[in-house]
Amino acid sequence: MNINVIKRDGKIVNFSSEKIKKAISKAADRIGEMTEQDIDRITEIIVNKCDRFPGDQISVEQIQDLVEDTLLKSKFNRTAKSYILFRDMRTRNRDNKSKLLKDIAKKLNGTNIVNQNANLDEASFGGRKGEAANELMKWFALNNCMSKKSRENHLNNEIYIHDLDSYALGCHNCLSIPFDQLLANGFNTRQTDIRPASSINTAFQLVAVIFQLQSLQQFGGVAATHLDWTMVPYVRKSLMKHYLFEYLKDTEEFYALDLDELSDSEIDDWIQEHKEEYLVQLNLTVEDFFMGSAALDDKLYKKALFEVRRETKQAVEGMYHNLNTLQSRSGNQLPFSSVNYGTCTLPEGRLIIKALLEGCIKGVGKHHRTSIFPCGIFQYMKGVNDRPGTPNYDLYRLALESTARRLYPNYANVDWSGNAGYDRNDPKTYFSTMGCRTANGFDINHDEGVNPQTKDGRGNLCPVTIIMPTLAMEAGRDVDCFMALLDTKIHEAKDMLIERYDYICAQDPSAAKFMYENNVMLGYKPEEGIKSALKHGTLAIGQLGLAETLELLVGCNHTHPEGMALAHRIEALFKQRVAEFKNKYKLNFGVYYTPAENLCYTAMKKFKEKYGEIERVSDREYFTNSMHVPVWEEMDIFRKIDIESELTGYSSAGCITYVELDSAAKSNIDALETIVNYAMDKDIPYFALNLSNDTCLDCGYTEEFNDSCPECGSKNIQQLRRVTGYLTNDYKTAFNYGKQKEVEDRFQHIKLTKGWRSEDECEQSC
Ligand SMILES: [Zn+2]
C-alpha cells in the first residue's frame, strides 16, 4: 500500500488493514451473522477500494465511509446497521468531549460569565476554578450517575435536575441548623473543638462560624429558625458576667491585682475563681440572672444591662459583617444564610430582635450599604406581634421600617394553615424558611415524642423542577392530554428524586464530618448509616411557568377565572400525588414553588429553540416563576395577593409571594403594615415587599435613581433587587440576562392601589 492515513488530530500514519478488520469484527460480534472468512473478504474489498483512492492520502472518516458503504452493499445488513450506530455513538462521544473541553475553557478564561447564581462571583479566580470544575461535574453526573430516563428528562427541558454539579458528589441541598444545641454543647471541627458559648458575643460569633462550616457540607442555604429564642441564655450569661464584673471591680482584691504582672489566662482564672465566691457572697444563684430579675441590685443591674446592650449590638454587627465578608466554597461565594426571629416576648429575646433589626437598618461598611446576608425573616404571629397591644407589636413596626429601607426582613406566617400542628410552646416548630423560600414541612419520619413540624436539623435534600410549558407543547396544547402527561412526569420526578436520594444516602459520613459528628443534621445514628438523618429531609417536586402553561392550554393565565380553574386542577394534582408518595415511600416529598433563578432563563432559551416565539408564552427572555402572576401583569397589590393566595396552600416545600412598591412607600409604614397584615390574613406563608434600593457607592446617597446619583452625579451606583427571596448585589451585573429583563418588566403594583399613589401623582392632583 502506498497510501497514508490522516488521523483526526492531523497526524499522518501508515495504512493498516488490521484496524479495518478490527472495526468490522466489533460490529459483527454484536450481531453474529458474519463468519471469520466473511470478515476477511469484506476487509479485502475495502483495502482494495482504499488502494484505488485518488491521491496518496486518505482520512479516517473517508475509510469509515468506505466501510459503511461496502457493508451496506453486502448481504450483511444488520452488521452494517450495527457499524453505523457504533460509529455514530463514537462521533457523539467525541463531540461531547470536545464540547465539554470548550465549556471548561470558557469558564477557566472567564469568557462565559452568565451569573447563573446571583451570589457567585464567576469572574474571580475561585469562581473560575469552581465553574470550570462544575462543567466536568455536570457532564460526569449526566453520563455516569443517573438513569437514561432522568438524563432525557433533564436534557429535553421537561424535568430539570437542580445543582447538577453537586450530583456526583452526593451532597445535599440546605439545612435549618439546630443552633440551640450547638451553642449549648459546643462542637468539633477538623482542627479543634469549640466550647459552649459563654456570652452573647461568642454566641453570635459562633453563629457565623457554624453557618460557614455547614455551608461547606452541602450546596445550598443555611438558616436559623428562631434566633431570638436561641440567644436568650447567652444574653443571661452576659448579664451575669457583667454584673459580677461590676461588683468585682469595686472590691479590695480587684484593686490589689497587678495587671502588668498577670497574664490574660491568669485574669481569666481569677475571674473564674471569684465568680462562685461572689455569687455566694451576694446570695445569688445562676438562675437569678435574667432581665428584670427582682433578686438583683438595682445599680449593679443597670450597669450590667448597659454593658449587655452594648455587647449585643457589637455582636450583631459582627455577625452581619462576618456573613457579608467570609467567602466560602473556594472563595467565590458567601454562605446563603437566613435568620428567622420575631416571636420571643422575653426581654432578652426582644433585645435580640431589636438589635437584629437595628443592625439591618444601619447597614454595613463605610456607606452603610444594605447587608445582603443574612436574609432576615420576621415571624409574624397572631397575638404576639400582629396588632397594637400585642407584646412584640413595636418590633413588628420596627421590622416594617427596616423593610422599607433595606428590603429585609421578609415575613413568615407562623399561623399558616400549612404548618398546622405546630407547638406554641416550642419555637423550633414555628413556621420558618430559608431566605429563598424553601421550607421544612411535616416530617413523616419524626421520632417518637418529637413534634413532626420541628424545623431544626432538617432541610431540602434535592429538588427537581417540572417545566410545564414544555409539557403543554408536547401534549399538543390539549388540556386532557396535558393533565395525563403532567401526571406521568410527576411520577417520573418522584423516581428521579428517589434515584438521587439513594445516591446521596450511599455517601460516607466522613465526607461531611462536621454535619454528622455534631448532629447538625439531626437523627444520625452511625449503626443505621446516614439515611437515619437524611430521611427527615425534603424531596422537592418543583414547577416552572404555570402562567405560560395556562396561556398555551386555555389562552389566558390565572388572572382570569378560566385560567385559575385549570391552575387549581394542576396544583391539586401535584398536592395529591405528593401526599400519596409521602405515605407510600415514607419520604418527605413536597410541592415546591421553585425559585428558578437561572432556570427561568435557560429553560426559556431551550423552549424557544424548539418551539419558536409564541405570544404571551415565549416572547420574553424568561419563564414566570412557579405559580406566580407574571411580573408584567398590571394589577393592584391586593389582587396580586388574592390570586397567589389561592394557590399557596398546595405547596409544602416552600413558596414566596412578593409585591412591587415604589420609593414613596418607604415613608408610609402604615401602608406597609396594611399590606403585610392583608397577606398574612390571606394565609400567604412567606411574603416579601420589593422596594427599590439604590445606593451611590461614592457618597452613600440612598434612594431610587436611574443611572447616576442625584446627589453627586456619580455613576458608581449599586441597584439592589430581590431574586428568589434573597437580595443580591447590583442586579445589572449579578443577575443573568433573563432575570435582568424580568426585573425591568416588574410592574409596580402600588401604582394601581387606591389610596397609595406615588408622590408625583399626589402632587399633581393635590
Ligand atoms: Zn453620590
Side-chain angles (χ1 to χ4, degrees):
M1 290 287 287
N2 328 328
I3 198 160
N4 286 321
V5 178
I6 314 168
K7 288 179 66 180
R8 284 196 183 82
D9 57 8
K11 270 191 201 147
I12 314 280
V13 294
N14 291 334
F15 185 89
S16 155
S17 57
E18 268 311 297
K19 283 192 174 157
I20 294 174
K21 185 177 166 187
K22 221 166 147 187
I24 299 171
S25 304
K26 258 191 188 162
D29 283 353
R30 282 190 292 269
I31 304 299
E33 64 177 348
M34 287 175 88
T35 63
E36 193 67 27
Q37 288 86 342
D38 292 335
I39 294 172
D40 283 341
R41 197 162 45 77
I42 295 285
T43 305
E44 206 185 317
I45 297 171
I46 296 164
V47 170
N48 285 334
K49 283 183 181 172
C50 290
D51 207 18
R52 292 198 299 275
F53 201 78
D56 54 2
Q57 287 184 337
I58 184 165
S59 71
V60 171
E61 291 295 328
Q62 285 164 331
I63 296 177
Q64 288 183 344
D65 285 346
L66 290 174
V67 175
E68 217 177 285
D69 188 58
T70 312
L71 278 172
L72 277 172
K73 283 178 183 154
S74 74
K75 60 180 177 177
F76 307 113
N77 282 330
R78 287 169 53 226
T79 308
K81 270 189 196 143
S82 159
Y83 178 83
I84 292 165
L85 264 179
F86 189 66
R87 183 183 175 190
D88 186 51
M89 196 180 81
R90 292 281 304 268
T91 309
R92 246 183 313 124
N93 274 346
R94 253 193 323 274
D95 290 350
N96 267 341
K97 273 187 195 148
S98 71
K99 184 182 176 299
L100 172 69
L101 288 177
K102 271 186 207 147
D103 288 344
I104 288 178
K106 278 187 207 160
K107 294 291 185 185
L108 276 179
N109 302 333
T111 50
N112 182 27
I113 292 172
V114 293
N115 291 315
Q116 54 175 314
N117 173 324
N119 179 33
L120 194 153
D121 182 358
E122 290 177 33
S124 67
F125 284 130
R128 278 154 53 185
K129 180 181 175 185
E131 286 301 294
N134 285 349
E135 290 297 327
L136 180 65
M137 296 293 278
K138 286 182 202 172
W139 184 87
F140 188 87
L142 273 174
N143 292 292
N144 301 281
C145 304
M146 64 184 69
S147 64
K148 188 162 168 261
K149 192 86 217 159
S150 301
R151 180 168 56 248
E152 281 173 1
N153 271 326
H154 181 80
L155 294 175
N156 292 344
N157 215 26
E158 291 180 357
I159 306 177
Y160 181 83
I161 302 170
H162 289 269
D163 304 287
L164 191 56
D165 49 348
S166 300
Y167 197 119
L169 273 180
C171 53
H172 81 284
N173 183 4
C174 66
L175 197 74
S176 293
I177 296 177
F179 277 110
D180 295 2
Q181 63 170 60
L182 287 170
L183 295 179
N185 306 335
F187 52 90
N188 294 317
T189 68
R190 202 148 60 91
Q191 284 81 8
T192 183
D193 62 287
I194 306 292
R195 281 178 300 172
S198 58
S199 69
I200 192 65
N201 189 23
T202 45
F204 267 109
Q205 281 186 37
L206 290 182
V207 166
V209 168
I210 293 167
F211 271 148
Q212 179 84 3
L213 285 168
Q214 177 56 30
S215 72
L216 294 167
Q217 317 272 302
Q218 48 163 68
F219 54 80
V222 281
T225 62
H226 56 288
L227 196 58
D228 43 354
W229 292 96
T230 300
M231 288 298 175
V232 169
Y234 308 100
V235 174
R236 290 177 178 172
K237 281 182 195 238
S238 278
L239 180 69
M240 184 171 92
K241 181 184 75 179
H242 290 298
Y243 189 95
L244 292 180
F245 275 2
E246 294 303 327
Y247 180 67
L248 289 169
K249 278 194 244 168
D250 240 357
T251 60
E252 290 304 321
E253 286 97 312
F254 177 78
Y255 289 112
L257 282 181
D258 186 347
L259 293 180
D260 290 334
E261 280 298 308
L262 289 171
S263 69
D264 286 339
S265 67
E266 282 168 325
I267 294 177
D268 281 346
D269 291 345
W270 186 84
I271 294 165
Q272 277 306 328
E273 270 169 38
H274 289 73
K275 199 167 76 179
E276 298 302 320
E277 190 183 318
Y278 285 118
L279 276 178
V280 175
Q281 270 184 30
L282 289 162
N283 197 22
L284 291 170
T285 65
V286 174
E287 282 71 38
D288 290 320
F289 290 91
F290 56 91
M291 281 172 69
S293 167
L296 304 177
D297 172 74
D298 284 350
K299 277 189 180 161
L300 285 176
Y301 174 73
K302 188 162 183 182
K303 284 182 189 173
L305 187 60
F306 180 75
E307 293 298 328
V308 168
R309 288 192 36 186
R310 278 164 34 109
E311 186 187 338
T312 304
K313 174 178 168 285
Q314 279 169 5
V316 168
E317 284 179 9
M319 181 190 73
Y320 279 114
H321 183 260
N322 285 333
L323 293 178
N324 284 287
T325 50
L326 295 174
Q327 305 277 334
S328 80
R329 296 177 186 149
S330 68
N332 54 13
Q333 214 179 52
L334 291 167
F336 284 86
S337 53
S338 306
V339 295
N340 293 260
Y341 55 82
T343 60
C344 184
T345 52
L346 297 169
E348 293 87 350
R350 288 175 42 80
L351 178 77
I352 296 297
I353 299 168
K354 199 162 175 229
L356 285 166
L357 289 168
E358 283 177 349
C360 182
I361 291 171
K362 186 175 171 192
V364 287
K366 189 171 61 174
H367 290 313
H368 300 286
R369 286 161 68 174
T370 295
S371 166
I372 308 286
F373 290 109
C375 172
I377 300 154
F378 188 86
Q379 291 168 298
Y380 180 100
M381 191 172 181
K382 284 206 174 77
V384 171
N385 53 32
D386 64 320
R387 59 178 188 275
T390 54
N392 281 1
Y393 177 69
D394 57 331
L395 297 171
Y396 173 40
R397 289 289 293 192
L398 186 61
L400 292 164
E401 272 176 46
S402 177
T403 304
R405 283 204 54 196
R406 303 296 188 181
L407 286 94
Y408 286 155
N410 303 336
Y411 297 84
N413 189 351
V414 173
D415 301 292
W416 178 46
S417 58
N419 199 48
Y422 81 88
D423 179 358
R424 265 190 100 85
N425 296 315
D426 181 3
K428 290 197 292 294
T429 67
Y430 291 3
F431 182 69
S432 65
T433 90
M434 292 282 150
C436 66
R437 73 193 62 185
T438 310
N440 290 315
F442 175 92
D443 180 9
I444 196 159
N445 294 317
H446 66 97
D447 290 328
E448 209 172 314
V450 175
N451 186 299
Q453 292 290 14
T454 302
K455 313 301 176 199
D456 281 20
R458 301 171 54 208
N460 194 1
L461 300 181
C462 51
V464 292
T465 290
I466 298 180
I467 300 165
M468 295 194 289
T470 305
L471 306 189
M473 292 305 290
E474 292 304 307
R477 302 177 68 167
D478 175 86
V479 173
D480 291 333
C481 287
F482 169 81
M483 290 306 290
L485 181 59
L486 178 64
D487 202 6
T488 305
K489 291 295 163 183
I490 293 174
H491 280 84
E492 288 177 13
K494 173 258 298 170
D495 295 337
M496 288 165 76
L497 287 175
I498 291 177
E499 190 178 290
R500 189 167 185 179
Y501 175 72
D502 288 339
Y503 191 89
I504 292 172
C505 287
Q507 304 307 312
D508 195 281
S510 64
K513 266 194 183 150
F514 171 75
M515 180 165 79
Y516 289 118
E517 271 186 6
N518 297 298
N519 270 308
V520 185
M521 186 183 276
L522 285 178
Y524 174 52
K525 298 179 187 76
E527 65 280 10
E528 289 176 28
I530 61 174
K531 207 171 233 180
S532 53
L534 288 162
K535 70 180 182 189
H536 302 292
T538 308
L539 297 173
I541 299 183
Q543 55 176 271
L544 179 70
L546 175 67
E548 289 83 1
T549 304
L550 297 172
E551 290 281 356
L552 286 169
L553 295 173
V554 290
C556 63
N557 63 34
H558 47 315
T559 58
H560 300 268
E562 199 188 351
M564 182 54 97
L566 182 55
H568 275 289
R569 266 182 74 192
I570 291 172
E571 300 306 340
L573 181 65
F574 271 99
K575 188 176 179 174
Q576 185 198 335
R577 288 292 176 254
V578 156
E580 288 165 10
F581 301 156
K582 195 164 175 170
N583 278 316
K584 180 170 175 193
Y585 297 94
K586 294 285 176 268
L587 288 170
N588 292 311
F589 286 97
V591 178
Y592 187 45
Y593 289 156
T594 309
E597 180 180 340
N598 188 42
L599 183 63
C600 72
Y601 173 51
T602 55
M604 176 58 92
K605 263 193 358 194
K606 277 189 167 182
F607 184 94
K608 275 188 192 177
E609 279 164 21
K610 194 160 180 190
Y611 308 109
E613 207 171 285
I614 303 170
E615 203 188 338
R616 290 172 69 83
V617 174
S618 55
D619 50 357
R620 294 172 195 263
E621 300 299 331
Y622 54 88
F623 277 124
T624 299
N625 231 295
S626 59
M627 56 60 178
H628 281 172
V629 169
V631 295
W632 41 265
E633 282 280 6
E634 299 188 3
M635 62 181 62
D636 75 16
I637 290 168
F638 303 109
R639 188 156 152 67
K640 165 92 157 91
I641 294 171
D642 285 346
I643 294 173
E644 292 186 6
S645 71
E646 284 201 42
L647 302 174
T648 50
Y650 294 108
S651 79
S652 48
C655 67
I656 189 170
T657 286
Y658 341 90
V659 293
E660 302 288 326
L661 310 175
D662 62 3
S663 56
K666 286 186 182 178
S667 49
N668 196 346
I669 303 300
D670 289 340
L672 299 186
E673 183 182 343
T674 307
I675 298 167
V676 175
N677 288 348
Y678 187 84
M680 299 292 117
D681 287 346
K682 282 278 170 176
D683 207 27
I684 296 276
Y686 182 41
F687 184 69
L689 298 165
N690 287 349
L691 297 106
S692 53
N693 182 309
D694 301 343
T695 306
C696 171
L697 299 182
D698 285 328
C699 76
Y701 182 78
T702 312
E703 253 321 320
E704 183 174 8
F705 39 84
N706 290 326
D707 52 357
S708 63
C709 170
E711 196 72 11
C712 75
S714 168
K715 294 211 182 282
N716 187 15
I717 54 174
Q718 179 198 48
Q719 297 186 285
L720 282 189
R721 296 294 180 269
R722 189 186 304 279
V723 63
T724 69
Y726 296 111
L727 298 180
T728 185
N729 268 308
D730 194 79
Y731 85 92
K732 285 183 178 162
T733 52
F735 282 18
N736 66 55
Y737 182 67
K739 265 286 167 218
Q740 285 179 34
K741 291 286 154 198
E742 189 248 87
V743 167
E744 284 157 19
D745 287 349
R746 287 180 187 178
F747 176 75
Q748 289 185 334
H749 305 107
I750 198 151
K751 282 185 181 155
L752 287 176
T753 307
K754 274 189 197 137
W756 297 320
R757 286 168 302 178
S758 72
E759 278 164 323
D760 294 348
E761 284 169 300
C762 188
E763 270 166 25
Q764 280 163 16
S765 56
C766 292

